[in-house]
């Protein structure tokens, strides 16, 4: 990772998005929208990223925020609903020996640590699949599926449905 | 407010149903990795449904909109995949997935609690 110019980071607000997120979380936490808490939240939102800056040596850049929203609401939440019903059907079916659980190896095109982490989390949160391991060279994600009749189709589904949009969103 | 009560009950029952199914899945599945799938379900839609019910209920209590339930879902979305990943990874390091394949068919259930 090449070192970026000193000031382009924004020295006082190293992570503007994180600051915004922390303010929102703080206001949700206190469950009010009073002026004092907005000030306090802003102070916290400015201070915490500043203190924890060293933990985030590199960060992915959200290149397409609109796409992120579309991914979150259009694909992610919808898949949680649909796949949940699917898994409920699998769990409650009378004969569970028909299930074909197994591991699939998903070759990764993305290289950024953070984005791999997001992809693995999305895979784990959408039911039916749990990401089990990333190989040491970070090229392959090993995923356990509850019912995988066709390995190639499952790998392809994960790649086109989650990886491609994530890659576009974070432009890496 | 009858409508609010209906909405709250609907989300409560929906959440409880998915949490119950998650537990049933934990009980019924035969190997460690399949068992991981059950609890993941109850964290997403199960707790999500209950948090939504809570948000709707307290928003109509008259003390303004209550939204800190969103945080519960948010934190679960962060922690649930991490813990599932840890358990799966630990199990893979103990080579649980290979033990099962080495067994002759029909013996999977007799070899102890993990396999």
């Amino acid at each position: 990772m090449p070192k970026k110019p000193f000031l382009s980071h924004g020295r006082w607000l190293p992570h503007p998005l994180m600051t915004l997120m922390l303010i929102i979380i703080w206001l949700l936490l206190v469950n009010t929208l009073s002026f004092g808490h907005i000030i306090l939240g802003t102070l916290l939102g400015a201070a915490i990223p500043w203190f924890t800056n060293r933990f985030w040596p590199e960060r992915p850049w959200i290149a397409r925020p609109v796409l992120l929203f579309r991914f979150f609401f259009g694909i992610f939440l919808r898949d949680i609903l649909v796949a949940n019903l699917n898994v409920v059907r699998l769990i409650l079916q009378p004969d569970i020996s028909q299930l074909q659980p197994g591991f699939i190896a998903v070759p990764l095109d993305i290289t950024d640590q953070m984005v791999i982490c997001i992809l693995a989390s999305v895979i784990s949160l959408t039911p039916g699949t749990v990401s089990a391991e990333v190989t040491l060279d970070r090229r392959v994600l090993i995923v356990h599926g509850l019912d995988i009749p066709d390995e190639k189709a499952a790998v392809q589904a994960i790649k086109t449905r989650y990886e491609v949009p994530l890659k576009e969103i974070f432009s890496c | 407010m009858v409508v609010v009560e209906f909405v709250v009950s609907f989300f409560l029952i929906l959440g409880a149903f998915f949490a119950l199914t998650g537990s049933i899945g934990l009980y019924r599945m035969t190997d460690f990795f399949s068992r991981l799938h059950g609890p993941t379900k109850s964290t997403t839609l199960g707790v999500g449904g209950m948090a939504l019910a809570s948000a709707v209920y307290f928003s109509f209590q008259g003390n303004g909109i209550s939204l800190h339930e969103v945080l519960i879902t948010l934190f679960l979305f962060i922690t649930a995949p991490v813990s599932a990943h840890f358990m799966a990874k630990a199990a893979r390091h103990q080579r649980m997935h290979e033990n099962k394949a080495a067994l002759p068919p029909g013996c999977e259930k007799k070899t102890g609690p993990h396999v």
Side-chain angles (χ1 to χ4, degrees):
Chain A
M1 192 90 188
K3 216 167 160 58
K4 285 176 191 165
F6 178 64
L7 276 175
S8 76
H9 267 162
R11 194 177 160 201
W12 296 104
L13 282 179
H15 305 278
L17 264 183
M18 191 172 160
T19 305
L20 190 68
M21 201 63 205
L22 281 169
I23 296 173
I24 293 173
I25 287 179
W26 177 257
L27 290 177
L28 283 174
L29 207 60
V30 293
N31 218 5
T32 50
L33 207 67
S34 65
F35 184 68
H37 277 299
I38 295 177
I39 297 283
L40 189 53
T42 312
L43 284 179
L44 285 172
I48 293 174
W50 197 74
F51 279 119
T52 56
N53 200 7
R54 290 179 179 206
F55 292 114
W56 314 93
E58 48 196 79
R59 58 203 166 129
W61 185 249
I62 300 179
R64 321 253 318 252
V66 183
L67 212 63
L68 177 67
F69 275 97
R70 204 184 296 163
F71 175 75
F72 187 80
F73 290 103
I75 298 181
F76 180 61
L77 287 186
R78 189 186 149 274
D79 276 14
I80 283 185
L81 273 173
V82 173
N84 246 305
L85 294 173
N86 216 357
V87 169
V88 163
R89 191 175 50 81
L90 290 179
I91 285 176
L92 296 182
Q93 73 184 13
D95 184 15
I96 55 164
S97 61
Q98 284 174 359
L99 291 181
Q100 298 171 352
F103 289 97
I104 50 174
V106 183
L108 292 171
D109 287 332
I110 42 182
T111 45
D112 190 276
Q113 276 189 57
M114 191 70 186
V115 184
I116 292 177
C117 175
I118 294 173
L119 175 70
S121 302
V122 167
I123 288 173
S124 289
L125 280 172
T126 48
T129 45
V130 168
S131 51
E133 202 172 342
V134 184
T135 51
L136 278 180
D137 56 1
R138 299 202 195 112
R139 293 249 176 80
V140 181
L141 181 67
I142 293 167
V143 176
H144 185 264
L146 191 54
D147 185 29
I148 299 192
D150 183 0
E151 270 184 41
K152 274 190 185 152
V155 171
Q156 211 50 46
I158 286 177
K159 282 189 82 72
T160 51
R161 209 165 165 72
Y162 303 126
E163 194 183 5
V164 171
L166 278 177
K167 203 175 166 176
E168 273 182 47
I169 289 167
F170 292 102
S171 71
C172 59
Chain B
M1 294 278 271
V2 186
V3 185
V4 176
E5 277 180 29
F6 266 112
V7 173
V8 170
S9 328
F10 171 75
F11 281 120
L12 267 185
I13 291 174
L14 189 80
F17 172 73
F18 281 109
L20 177 68
T21 326
S23 315
I24 293 176
L26 185 65
Y27 170 72
R28 282 191 80 193
M29 291 303 152
T30 45
D31 67 304
F32 178 84
F33 292 98
S34 302
R35 285 190 161 168
L36 267 182
H37 291 278
T40 337
K41 255 92 281 159
S42 35
T43 51
T44 49
L45 261 195
V47 178
M50 289 184 216
L52 211 56
S54 163
V56 172
Y57 179 78
F58 284 103
S59 294
F60 281 91
Q61 288 280 308
N63 296 328
I65 297 173
S66 166
L67 276 180
H68 55 349
E69 286 84 357
V70 178
L71 280 183
I72 301 177
T73 323
L74 177 72
F75 290 146
L76 270 176
F77 273 13
I78 299 172
T79 55
V82 175
S83 50
H85 183 85
F86 274 6
M87 281 188 276
K89 189 159 183 163
R92 275 182 69 86
H93 277 252
Q94 294 191 355
R95 309 207 165 269
M96 281 180 187
H97 54 298
E98 288 171 13
N99 285 345
K100 197 193 162 204
L103 290 169
C107 294
E108 289 96 341
K109 276 198 158 177
K110 296 175 193 164
T111 42
H114 301 306
V115 184

